[in-house]
Amino acid sequence: MHTLTRRDFVRFGAASLGSRAAMKVTRLEPLALFGAGHDVAPSDRIRFASIGTGTRGCELLTASLDVQGIECVAVCDLYDSRHEAAREAVKKQVPATRNYREILDRKDVDAVIVAVADHQHRRIVVDACAAGKDVYCEKPMSHNVEDGFAIVEAVQRGNRILQVGSQRVSSIVYEKARELYTSGALGDVFFVEGASDRNSPSGAWVYPIPPDASEQTIDWNEFLVGAPKRPFDPVRFFRWRCYSDYGEGLAGDLFVHLLSGIHFILGVDEAPQRAQSSGGLFRWKDGRDFPDLIETLYDYPKLRVALRCNLNNAGGEPIKFHGTKGTMEINGQTLVFTPQDTTPKPEGYSIKGWPEKLRKEYLAKWMAENPQPDPLEYKAVEAETFTAPDNYSDVSAHQANFFNAVRSRTKTVENEEFGNHAAIGCHLANYAYFKNTIATWDASAKAIRG
Ligand SMILES: NC(=O)c1ccc[n+]([C@@H]2O[C@H](COP(=O)([O-])OP(=O)(O)OC[C@H]3O[C@@H](n4cnc5c(N)ncnc54)[C@H](O)[C@@H]3O)[C@@H](O)[C@H]2O)c1
């Protein structure tokens, strides 16, 4: 043991300050995808179909080409042009239908991807489970609290595998973040803040209406199942996220990614206990039901989480974990961990107001009572950066996790319980916002109070 001298303090202080600029960068290695590294016989492939082949459905079909051991055998969508888009995405002339029940009736389909508007998730997932199919369901899992529990029940009753589609939880960046947190490197984390900020018409869901959109090319009545009847309206069909009949606004679309990532990293396996929201519709006043800015403060038993979505500034999607030993920030495919200097030190601020004699006595006593490790053992405060390789896709990794689970009959990384908890967080945020109240989650009654 070594008693810390004044010179040591100066040396250590200077070292920690000087090293703040130092940065170690580590490139993360992607995991092998399903079936990678060995040939999967055609008879052993998992055969899947995609229900909903709009923007996300096509993205998923394209990403599925990177996953080995699976085969798309059919696609389904209510809008005819999306049949062709799906075939282009999956690079295969698969059969296409408007009627998802035709797909569920096929005995040779093992699994379905459900990438339809949110208000249709429950109906299709419940029917798919009853038909014995495993399901990859896009996020948010549910349109409302009741839908979420109906999906959980259907999956568990049918002994099915379900993956919810917040793909970040399969990202190597999030895996690293979880590893850092569970290693104790951050210390206790009592506060997390996250944002999802955009500044464009596309970011605000003002999508163009395709020129061939009509009642002839779209099965509008089928789209309205589970929603109020109304005359054909292509704006509602293509910009459904703006309307509470079909979507959940910013909370359902974007908070769900932030919450899923935070739950995954911290190992949270429950819905938030309470939520308070503020915000407003300031700019995108096009008849939508939802605000274009929302901030929500969540209570969990052991921490608080503050989320924001703002469609009026391109702030990106940072998530910051504030720990007692360090700060971890994820931004896109990059993770930066900055430890904080937590080495024991005598109190040095208030003693500035002490006479020198008392100050010296205090410092000498502190040194005697706090044997110090050799100053050379002090680790400099050095930030560390981890990045995914260029073109890394967590979308294929998330699908691979699903198809691996289908084959091995094990739980997915984002199963029905996990997906339900994250979705409840979104419903709490909207409840608090629209009712202008503190929304409280009553887990035993499976209901929001406020
Ligand atoms: N994980 C992600 O990052 C991510 C990104 C985008 C969208 N999503 C989710 O994916 C889902 C789809 O979003 P999108 O952007 O592709 O919307 P979209 O409007 O582009 O496509 C949805 C498609 O679903 C079809 N559809 C609706 N009801 C149907 C039914 N009963 N049978 C067959 N097809 C039906 C529609 O015809 C439409 O083509 C949503 O749940 C959304 O939240 C997830």
Side-chain angles (χ1 to χ4, degrees), residues 55-56 77 82 118 120-121 138-139 165 167 240-241:
T55 314
R56 187 57 177 176
D77 200 282
R82 284 183 162 158
D118 301 348
Q120 300 256 339
H121 286 185
E138 261 309 338
K139 51 55 47 177
Q167 65 278 2
W240 56 264
R241 284 171 175 79

Side-chain angles (χ1 to χ4, degrees), residues 140-293:
M141 191 178 91
S142 62
H143 182 48
N144 53 46
V145 168
E146 296 73 30
D147 285 8
F149 284 97
I151 289 175
V152 171
E153 218 256 319
V155 172
Q156 296 180 351
R157 184 168 14 96
N159 204 15
R160 295 293 96 210
I161 303 293
L162 181 122
Q163 173 89 301
V164 180
S166 297
Q167 65 278 2
R168 292 174 191 191
V169 303
S170 290
S171 156
I172 48 175
V173 177
Y174 280 66
E175 187 59 44
K176 185 72 207 175
R178 181 148 107 151
E179 186 189 310
L180 282 168
Y181 171 69
T182 49
S183 76
L186 277 82
D188 292 319
V189 174
F190 300 125
F191 182 59
V192 181
E193 58 184 329
S196 192
D197 293 348
R198 308 156 158 193
N199 191 5
S200 68
S202 176
W205 315 313
V206 185
Y207 302 139
I209 310 299
D212 70 347
S214 73
E215 279 188 276
Q216 283 66 52
T217 57
I218 293 172
D219 190 339
W220 173 247
N221 286 330
E222 193 69 11
F223 178 77
L224 290 185
V225 174
K229 294 278 168 254
R230 59 173 67 238
F232 178 66
D233 184 346
V235 170
R236 282 182 165 255
F237 184 81
F238 290 98
R239 301 176 188 168
W240 56 264
R241 284 171 175 79
C242 300
Y243 304 96
S244 55
D245 288 340
Y246 328 108
E248 311 76 32
L250 290 171
D253 202 42
L254 299 171
F255 276 6
V256 71
H257 282 300
L258 300 169
L259 287 174
S260 299
I262 293 165
H263 288 188
F264 171 77
I265 290 166
L266 301 184
V268 171
D269 193 19
E270 60 195 331
Q273 294 172 306
R274 315 200 299 170
Q276 302 170 67
S277 297
S278 178
L281 180 59
F282 294 102
R283 180 184 179 198
W284 301 97
K285 298 180 180 176
D286 52 7
R288 67 182 61 200
D289 297 342
F290 289 107
D292 53 23
L293 167 67

